C-alpha cells in the first residue's frame, strides 16, 4: 500500500435530469499523496465541484472505484460516508458557509460538538485554532461582524479543528479581493507545512494555481494535465 490519501480508479459521474444523462466526469484516474497541496484547475463546467463532492463523500460515483485514506469507499452507504466525512475531511467553501447566529468560537466548536468531544478539550482546540488563524480577539463576534477574510479564517479553523487527514476547498478565494486571497493562501500554506494535512482546491484563481505544488487540470470531465511544481516541493520528485 502507498500512503495515498485519495485514489480514484476509472471514476465516472453523470447526473440524471429527467430522462437525460448529463456526463460530468469520465474515467478519472488520480492519486494524491499525504501532505500534498493540490490545485484542481479548469473552466466552469469542467467537473471540479463534482470531483470534490465525490472525494468529499458528499456524492457517489456512477462507476469506478474510490479510496480515501486507504479505505475503499466505493460501495459505502450514505450513513457510512457521513461518518467518514465527519472524521477525516474538512471543507472550505467559496461562500464560507458559517452559521450566522453563532459566534466565531461557536462556529469552530460546532463540528466538535457533533463529534462528541468533551467541553474542556473542545475549548482548548477551538482556542488553539482561532489563535492559529489570528482570530482570537474576534472569538465572540458573529459572521456579519467579520470581514470576508476573517470569515474565511473562521471557516479554516472550523475545517482544521477536527484534525482531518484531508481538507477540500471549492473556490476558497473567489469571494475575496486579491490581497486578502493572498493572505488566506499564505495561511493555508503554513497550515499545510505545519500539520502535513493534505489540501485539494478547486480554483480558477491563477495565484492559487501558480503556488500549488501540484496542478491538476480538468477539461470536459477529463484530466487534461497533471503537473508537479518541483521548485515549490523543494525538488522532491514523487513517484506516480
Ligand atoms: N446537480 C447537477 N445536475 C445536473 N448537472 C450537473 C449538476 N452538477 C453539475 N452538473 C453538470 O456537470 C458538469 C460539471 O459541473 P461542475 O462539477 O459543477 O463543474 P465546475 O465545478 O468545474 O464548474 C457541468 O456540465 C454541469 O452542468
Ligand atoms: Mg464548481
Amino acid at each position: 500500500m502507498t500512503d495515498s490519501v485519495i485514489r480514484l480508479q476509472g471514476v465516472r459521474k453523470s447526473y440524471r435530469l429527467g430522462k437525460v444523462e448529463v456526463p460530468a466526469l469520465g474515467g478519472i484516474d488520480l492519486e494524491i499523496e499525504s501532505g500534498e497541496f493540490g490545485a484542481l484547475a479548469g473552466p466552469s463546467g469542467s467537473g471540479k465541484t463534482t470531483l470534490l463532492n465525490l472525494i468529499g463523500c458528499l456524492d457517489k460515483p456512477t462507476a469506478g472505484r474510490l479510496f480515501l485514506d486507504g479505505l475503499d469507499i466505493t460501495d459505502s452507504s450514505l450513513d457510512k460516508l457521513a461518518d467518514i466525512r465527519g472524521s477525516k475531511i474538512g471543507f472550505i467553501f467559496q461562500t464560507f458557509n458559517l452559521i450566522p447566529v453563532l459566534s466565531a468560537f461557536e462556529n469552530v466548536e460546532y463540528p466538535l460538538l457533533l463529534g462528541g468531544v468533551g467541553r474542556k478539550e473542545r475549548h482548548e482546540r477551538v482556542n488553539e485554532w482561532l489563535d492559529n488563524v489570528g482570530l482570537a480577539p474576534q472569538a465572540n463576534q458573529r459572521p456579519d461582524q467579520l470581514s470576508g477574510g476573517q470569515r474565511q479564517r473562521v471557516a479554516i479553523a472550523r475545517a482544521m479543528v477536527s484534525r482531518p487527514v484531508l481538507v477540500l476547498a471549492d473556490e476558497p478565494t473567489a469571494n475575496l479581493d486579491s490581497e486578502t486571497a493572498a493572505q488566506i493562501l499564505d495561511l493555508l500554506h503554513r497550515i499545510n507545512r505545519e500539520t502535513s494535512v493534505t489540501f485539494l482546491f478547486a480554483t480558477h484563481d491563477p495565484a492559487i494555481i501558480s503556488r500549488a505544488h501540484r496542478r491538476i487540470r480538468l477539461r470536459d470531465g477529463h484530466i487534461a494535465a497533471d503537473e508537479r511544481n518541483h521548485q515549490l516541493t523543494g525538488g522532491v520528485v514523487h513517484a506516480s
Side-chain angles (χ1 to χ4, degrees):
M1 280 300 282
T2 65
D3 57 352
S4 296
V5 172
I6 302 168
R7 186 146 54 98
L8 282 81
Q9 296 174 335
V11 165
R12 294 176 185 279
K13 176 71 185 178
S14 48
Y15 295 100
R16 186 167 281 286
L17 284 178
K19 286 183 181 162
V20 184
E21 284 247 327
V22 183
L25 290 175
I28 300 280
D29 294 308
L30 178 65
E31 202 157 334
I32 301 212
E33 288 163 42
S34 178
E36 285 202 271
F37 193 91
L40 205 53
S44 181
S46 59
K48 301 183 297 298
T49 295
T50 301
L51 186 53
L52 284 188
N53 287 350
L54 293 177
I55 295 169
C57 301
L58 292 163
D59 203 352
K60 295 182 68 149
T62 311
R65 301 211 79 78
L66 223 155
F67 300 81
L68 198 72
D69 203 21
L71 208 68
D72 186 344
I73 60 164
T74 314
D75 301 313
S76 298
S77 66
L78 291 175
D79 280 352
K80 173 84 179 153
L81 287 178
D83 282 351
I84 295 168
R85 194 159 68 231
S87 65
K88 292 187 187 290
I89 305 176
F91 290 93
I92 301 170
F93 301 93
Q94 173 175 350
T95 50
F96 320 130
N97 291 18
L98 300 176
I99 301 173
V101 296
L102 298 184
S103 67
F105 185 98
E106 291 163 337
N107 267 282
V108 178
E109 185 185 29
Y110 192 67
L112 297 181
L113 277 171
L114 292 181
V117 177
R119 180 185 155 88
K120 182 164 180 288
E121 188 181 344
R122 264 193 341 257
H123 282 230
E124 280 168 11
R125 280 161 70 174
V126 173
N127 285 326
E128 177 195 330
W129 273 104
L130 282 175
D131 193 38
N132 193 320
V133 303
L135 272 192
Q138 286 81 18
N140 294 319
Q141 297 187 14
R142 283 194 321 270
D144 65 1
Q145 299 171 302
L146 300 173
S147 69
Q150 289 174 329
R151 288 182 209 184
Q152 200 57 305
R153 285 172 192 270
V154 175
I156 291 165
R158 180 184 57 182
M160 291 302 303
V161 77
S162 320
R163 301 183 176 146
V165 294
L166 171 67
V167 174
L168 301 174
D170 201 352
E171 313 268 1
T173 59
N175 281 348
L176 302 175
D177 64 74
S178 57
E179 196 184 325
T180 306
Q183 290 165 357
I184 291 293
L185 200 57
D186 286 342
L187 173 63
L188 295 173
H189 267 291
R190 178 167 61 76
I191 293 172
N192 174 249
R193 273 199 315 275
E194 289 174 357
T195 66
S196 300
V197 71
T198 308
F199 278 100
L200 184 63
F201 304 90
T203 187
H204 28 325
D205 184 340
I208 291 196
I209 298 168
S210 69
R211 291 182 54 195
H213 304 159
R214 175 142 175 216
R215 305 165 195 175
I216 300 148
R217 285 184 196 279
L218 285 182
R219 193 184 304 138
D220 297 332
H222 293 274
I223 294 179
D226 184 353
E227 312 152 336
R228 283 189 166 92
N229 189 334
H230 298 307
Q231 275 170 338
L232 292 176
T233 50
V236 179
V237 179
H238 296 273
S240 66

